[in-house]
Amino acid sequence: TANGGSTSSDGGDGELGSDAEGVWSPDIEQAFQEALAIYPPCGRRKIILSDEGKMYGRNELIARYIKLRTGKVRTRKQVSSHIQVLARKKAREIQGKIKVWTLDQAAKDKVMAG
């Protein structure tokens, strides 16, 4: 496809375009991070009841929080995509650290053996 090889219907990560900065600008990212801390993953219980008795999923609550804090609208799907992107990034960092640790360990083993 035109946006760098992604084939999913919503344009992949939702972050690959030139507007990636605009979608998650520093103020929105700040509100997003605050919301992640306020609404931890709820495991099997995917739905949270508000005071009015309306049901919300976590991503919807995060999107609402971003709107309250910044006045900018982000959909629950944009929130979901952003969470996935950050999770993948974190996973890659962890894999990188494991590789480095494994190499370090191999070097130490050689020193000890030799």
Side-chain angles (χ1 to χ4, degrees):
T1 61
N3 68 351
S6 176
T7 53
S8 70
S9 59
D10 68 348
D13 296 338
E15 318 227 331
L16 296 170
S18 57
D19 64 321
E21 259 310 296
V23 175
W24 298 102
S25 56
D27 60 329
I28 300 172
E29 183 64 34
Q30 172 71 35
F32 172 78
Q33 292 295 338
E34 288 170 13
L36 285 182
I38 293 167
Y39 305 112
C42 42
R44 292 195 174 282
R45 194 185 38 124
K46 292 285 178 231
I47 287 162
I48 299 141
L49 280 171
S50 70
D51 299 336
E52 313 94 59
K54 191 166 171 352
M55 295 189 291
Y56 295 105
R58 181 186 186 218
N59 294 346
E60 206 169 350
L61 289 171
I62 292 169
R64 283 173 60 97
Y65 183 84
I66 291 169
K67 174 125 171 45
L68 281 171
R69 290 279 284 138
T70 67
K72 294 169 186 164
V73 175
R74 292 296 169 271
T75 66
R76 64 185 172 79
K77 286 188 174 182
Q78 283 173 309
V79 168
S80 168
S81 170
H82 196 49
I83 289 171
Q84 282 185 323
V85 168
L86 295 178
R88 273 189 231 122
K89 197 168 159 190
K90 198 174 203 172
R92 279 197 299 270
E93 283 169 15
I94 291 167
Q95 284 171 339
K97 284 187 179 118
I98 289 169
K99 278 187 188 133
V100 168
W101 182 83
T102 309
L103 289 172
D104 286 352
Q105 194 58 48
K108 286 176 194 161
D109 290 347
K110 272 186 194 158
V111 169
M112 295 303 279

